[in-house]
């Protein structure tokens, strides 16, 4: 039995298990897996592990859930252009550590989390053009240490304080953004088609002020009525104290006031004068 186990192990080493067969909805050749225009709603679960390029464009994929792809250790290029992507899970791209080129253009993406791109330590090209991005979180570009080019054109950028992280990053990485001069504001209407990079430092002075949070507003709403009621109570209490004090003071003065001369009483023991009766008249 020991000899058989050794022989089996040697055979497995010399003849590794074959890669999974090409999905029936796709076409595979020499490391390329072409699944374009197949009306796919999700990524095929079984893909050749030796795939170096995966084409998934022009399908109906709307969501990339957690671990949306099987482990593809040698995948270098992934194209998801022209789908209906609205959401990408933070762990959707696990297992794609060798990826160098990712195309997410022409989709419906509005928000991207920096954590989504953390597994892509080798990514050098990222295409986010023609989505619905109004802002880009500050942590997205730094999550890609090998990034050389990022395409951002064709998005409806909101030129408010939320654009400040992107504007700041663009100012230090112009060479990584092809066509950065074409990035334009879509909102507000007063800045429609205004180039993002035309803003100066003075344009963002008001953004340096710390905005009030929802907790701050809630505190104001609670403190306002309580302070009003407290002020009324204090005023009533002080007024009552003043009235009582004045009343007590008035009574004290009444008890201490001397009697006037016109109302002096006769000394004790003195006889009152006798008034004549009617019969003496």
């Amino acid at each position: 039995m020991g000899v058989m186990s050794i022989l089996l192990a040697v055979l497995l080493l010399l003849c590794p298990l074959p890669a999974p067969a090409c999905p029936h909805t796709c076409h595979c050749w020499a490391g390329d897996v072409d699944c374009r225009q197949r009306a796919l709603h999700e990524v095929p679960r079984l893909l050749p592990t030796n795939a170096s390029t995966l084409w998934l464009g022009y399908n109906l994929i709307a969501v990339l859930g957690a671990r949306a792809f099987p482990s593809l250790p040698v995948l270098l290029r992934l194209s998801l252009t022209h789908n209906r992507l609205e959401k990408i899970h933070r762990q959707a791209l696990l297992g794609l550590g060798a990826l160098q080129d990712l195309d997410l253009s022409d989709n419906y993406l509005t928000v991207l989390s920096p954590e989504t791109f953390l597994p892509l330590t080798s990514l050098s090209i990222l295409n986010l053009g023609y989505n619905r991005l109004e802002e880009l979180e500050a942590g997205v570009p730094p999550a890609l240490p090998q990034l050389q080019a990022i395409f951002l054109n064709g998005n409806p950028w909101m030129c408010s304080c939320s654009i400040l992280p992107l504007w700041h990053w663009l100012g230090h990485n112009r060479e990584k953004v092809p066509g950065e001069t074409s990035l334009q504001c879509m909102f507000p209407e007063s800045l429609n088609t205004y180039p993002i990079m035309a803003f100066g430092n003075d344009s963002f002075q008001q953004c340096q002020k710390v905005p009030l949070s929802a907790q701050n507003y809630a505190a104001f709403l609670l403190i306002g009525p309580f302070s009003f009621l407290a002020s009324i109570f204090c005023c009533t209490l002080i007024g009552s104290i003043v009235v009582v004090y004045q009343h007590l003071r008035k009574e004290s003065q009444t008890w201490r006031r001397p009697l006037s001369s016109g109302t002096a009483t006769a000394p004790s023991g003195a006889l009152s004068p006798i008034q004549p009766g009617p019969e003496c008249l």
Side-chain angles (χ1 to χ4, degrees), residues 16-142:
L17 294 176
C22 184
H24 68 278
T25 55
C26 307
H27 180 65
C28 306
W29 77 97
D32 279 12
V33 181
D34 190 353
C35 303
R36 288 176 289 189
Q37 296 181 330
R38 305 290 180 171
L40 298 176
H41 290 270
E42 61 181 9
V43 179
R45 299 310 304 168
L46 296 178
L47 292 168
T49 56
N50 65 341
S52 58
T53 302
L54 177 57
W55 307 92
L56 288 168
Y58 299 91
N59 281 293
L60 306 175
I61 302 174
V63 176
L64 291 180
R67 296 185 177 273
F69 299 85
S71 179
L72 300 173
V74 296
L75 186 68
L76 301 177
R77 185 176 184 183
L78 172 60
S79 175
L80 284 156
T81 185
H82 288 279
N83 272 273
R84 298 181 180 180
L85 272 178
E86 297 179 358
K87 183 178 180 181
I88 300 179
H89 192 275
R90 295 179 179 182
Q91 298 181 348
L93 304 178
L94 290 176
L96 307 180
L99 195 65
Q100 297 179 4
D101 187 345
L102 176 59
D103 189 352
L104 298 171
S105 62
D106 291 281
N107 279 287
Y108 303 149
L109 295 171
T110 57
V111 178
L112 290 172
S113 170
E115 295 181 15
T116 302
F117 301 97
L118 290 178
L120 308 182
T121 55
S122 300
L123 194 71
S124 59
I125 301 175
L126 175 61
N127 193 341
L128 298 174
Y130 296 95
N131 275 277
R132 297 180 179 179
L133 296 171
E134 294 183 357
E135 60 184 82
L136 189 67
E137 288 196 34
V140 172

Side-chain angles (χ1 to χ4, degrees), residues 233-250:
F233 175 78
C234 292
C235 292
T236 303
L237 180 61
I238 294 173
S240 301
I241 293 173
V242 171
V243 171
V244 171
Y245 172 76
Q246 290 180 347
H247 180 70
L248 293 176
R249 185 177 179 185
K250 185 180 296 184

